Amino acid sequence: MKFILVGFFLRILVAIWNGFFGPSIGADGDAVMFHEIALQVSQFGLFDAKYNIGWVYSIFLGSIYSWTVNSIFLGSVLSCIAWLISALVLDKTIKLLGISKKYRDLALLFYAFIPSSILFTSVTLREVYQLLFVNLLIYASVMILIRKNKKFWFLALFATISMGSLHFGLVLYGILGAVLTFYFTSIRSNRAFSLELLIFYVPAIAFLAFGGINLFLELVPFDFENGLASAVEAYQAGHNEARAQYSFQPELKSNFDLVLFMPVSFMQYMLEPMPWKVATPLDLALFLENVMRCILIFLAIKGLTKVHQVLQTPLLFLVLMFFALEMLWALGTVNWGSAVRHHIPAMGILVIIGICFLDQGTHALSSLRKLPGTKKV
């Protein structure tokens, strides 16, 4: 808890910097734009603002402004509060997995003090709210997987709708979370398939996926007439940056090209800037964060071979959800300046899979304490 409180205090300091002496690092560009649109909402109302479609975050912020004061400091403080709630949800999730206090504190230490997180979760950007709702979705799913508590489907639905309102791509992510949760709760006695899965879950998942994808295609402001590959290529071509732009630019003529591009896109997204491209202190900081991120991913994958059988399903679920979220952002990211922001929503999952399962008490050969869903030995 102490790391959460210190992390919150640091973010409040950045909010003060941004509100009264700023902009702080990362608080220009989109952060200013969201604030300015929120000002229009507060002045003209929800239905009179010309940005009322696709700007749910600014509408929320503008509504708060209209009830209080038009202050970017207030908007920044709200982001800090959203981070605080996300940290408390993360802490509850880690406790649910039966992780010892030592490794829980280590995970929260990383979560609270990663420099890019401090800077980008303290200003008027959507990423901190995306982080909050992703953490809520993960908490709900883990409750369903470990405690078999079906009431948490309502929380999962709320988190999915909320994150989807912040970014259309997160609608698909929420659908994937539901599909994976359905699937893993259907497994009994270590069987990959079951009669329950075949009779009920497959049709339900198919219906959910079909309806969700069609809703996604109706909502997103992109042209899918020529296929998904063409839409991805057009989006990337329209978001070019100067110095921080990735060197490889795709030519996607078919869905097969898109499949081939996905690992390239993911590697660029996770690794850029490469050491030979580091030109500023900020580039160096991003490079070091990427190294740390890759180490945590390696530890997560290694953990799949070591954790107790009871925790293999939750860990596999979390690993898949992490890679799915990062791949989603990778396909729409063309420079490492944007990538550092897009890594924020997956930060909670990353510290769980990369740090918490280092706990020897979660490993198959350990009998140090009771694991979730098991009897004491």
Side-chain angles (χ1 to χ4, degrees):
M1 187 66 181
K2 61 184 177 182
F3 295 124
I4 294 177
L5 294 177
V6 174
F8 178 66
F9 175 73
L10 290 175
R11 285 162 175 81
I12 290 294
L13 291 180
V14 175
I16 293 172
W17 172 15
N18 184 50
F20 300 106
F21 310 102
S24 58
I25 298 173
D28 51 3
D30 286 350
V32 172
M33 177 186 67
F34 285 126
H35 169 68
E36 290 178 347
I37 295 172
L39 292 178
Q40 294 190 38
V41 172
S42 70
Q43 294 172 1
F44 304 112
L46 173 61
F47 298 102
D48 293 326
K50 65 178 180 178
Y51 295 103
N52 58 11
I53 302 299
W55 295 93
V56 172
Y57 169 60
S58 289
I59 293 171
F60 159 76
L61 197 58
S63 299
I64 299 296
Y65 286 171
S66 66
W67 298 333
T68 53
V69 293
N70 293 335
S71 168
I72 197 168
F73 171 67
L74 174 61
S76 300
V77 169
L78 291 174
S79 293
C80 296
I81 294 172
W83 179 87
L84 176 63
I85 298 172
S86 79
L88 295 174
V89 172
L90 177 66
D91 188 37
K92 289 177 67 68
T93 304
I94 297 173
K95 290 178 181 177
L96 185 61
L97 291 167
I99 307 301
S100 68
K101 186 177 185 302
K102 172 184 175 181
Y103 287 94
R104 187 169 78 245
D105 286 346
L106 183 60
L108 293 173
L109 173 67
F110 272 78
Y111 189 76
F113 296 113
I114 294 175
S116 63
S117 175
I118 294 174
L119 292 172
F120 290 111
T121 60
S122 310
V123 297
T124 50
L125 289 170
R126 295 177 297 181
E127 278 74 12
V128 65
Y129 294 92
Q130 295 169 2
L131 171 66
L132 169 60
F133 294 123
V134 168
N135 284 5
L136 279 173
L137 175 64
I138 294 302
Y139 174 68
S141 296
V142 172
M143 280 294 293
I144 296 167
L145 289 172
I146 291 181
R147 297 285 178 84
K148 315 299 180 186
N149 192 332
K150 296 181 179 179
K151 294 179 181 179
F152 279 83
W153 279 112
F154 293 103
L155 179 59
L157 178 62
F158 167 76
T160 298
I161 293 173
S162 299
M163 72 172 73
S165 68
L166 292 171
H167 193 287
F168 292 117
L170 292 174
V171 175
L172 290 181
Y173 183 71
I175 293 171
L176 176 65
V179 169
L180 290 178
T181 305
F182 266 126
Y183 176 75
F184 285 121
T185 52
S186 72
I187 297 175
R188 298 290 184 270
S189 302
N190 300 320
R191 291 179 296 171
F193 299 96
S194 66
L195 184 62
E196 181 184 18
L197 173 65
L198 296 174
I199 292 177
F200 176 73
Y201 287 119
V202 168
I205 289 171
F207 177 78
L208 179 66
F210 178 79
I213 291 172
N214 277 279
L215 175 64
F216 172 77
L217 295 177
E218 287 291 328
L219 289 175
V220 295
F222 304 121
D223 182 10
F224 288 93
E225 183 178 348
N226 297 320
L228 179 60
S230 177
V232 170
E233 182 181 21
Y235 181 86
Q236 291 220 349
H239 288 75
N240 290 333
E241 300 287 337
R243 189 186 65 82
Q245 184 178 345
Y246 299 150
S247 57
F248 181 83
Q249 298 297 310
E251 292 185 8
L252 307 177
K253 304 303 181 184
S254 66
N255 288 335
F256 181 70
D257 290 339
L258 177 61
V259 171
L260 294 179
F261 172 64
M262 288 175 68
V264 176
S265 174
F266 186 78
M267 295 302 290
Q268 288 185 142
Y269 174 73
M270 298 301 293
L271 298 177
E272 294 280 9
M274 295 296 187
W276 53 88
K277 294 183 180 178
V278 172
T280 67
L282 180 59
D283 288 345
L284 179 60
L286 299 184
F287 169 74
L288 294 176
E289 282 195 15
N290 287 343
V291 171
M292 178 205 70
R293 189 174 292 107
C294 290
I295 292 173
L296 294 180
I297 292 171
F298 170 77
L299 293 174
I301 295 173
K302 185 179 178 182
L304 285 170
T305 65
K306 289 188 172 184
V307 295
H308 193 282
Q309 181 180 343
V310 173
L311 291 173
Q312 283 180 344
T313 295
L315 177 55
L316 178 59
F317 168 79
L318 291 169
V319 169
L320 291 175
M321 290 295 284
F322 172 77
F323 278 108
L325 184 55
E326 293 289 57
M327 178 59 74
L328 173 69
W329 298 129
L331 289 174
T333 305
V334 298
N335 65 88
W336 61 80
S338 297
V340 64
R341 280 172 48 188
H342 293 163
H343 285 305
I344 296 295
M347 200 75 73
I349 310 177
L350 179 63
V351 298
I352 294 177
I353 63 176
I355 297 176
C356 292
F357 292 97
L358 294 174
D359 182 0
Q360 296 291 321
T362 66
H363 293 178
L365 298 179
S366 174
S367 58
L368 296 178
R369 66 177 183 279
K370 183 179 178 182
L371 290 167
T374 65
K375 296 180 180 180
K376 288 184 178 180
V377 294

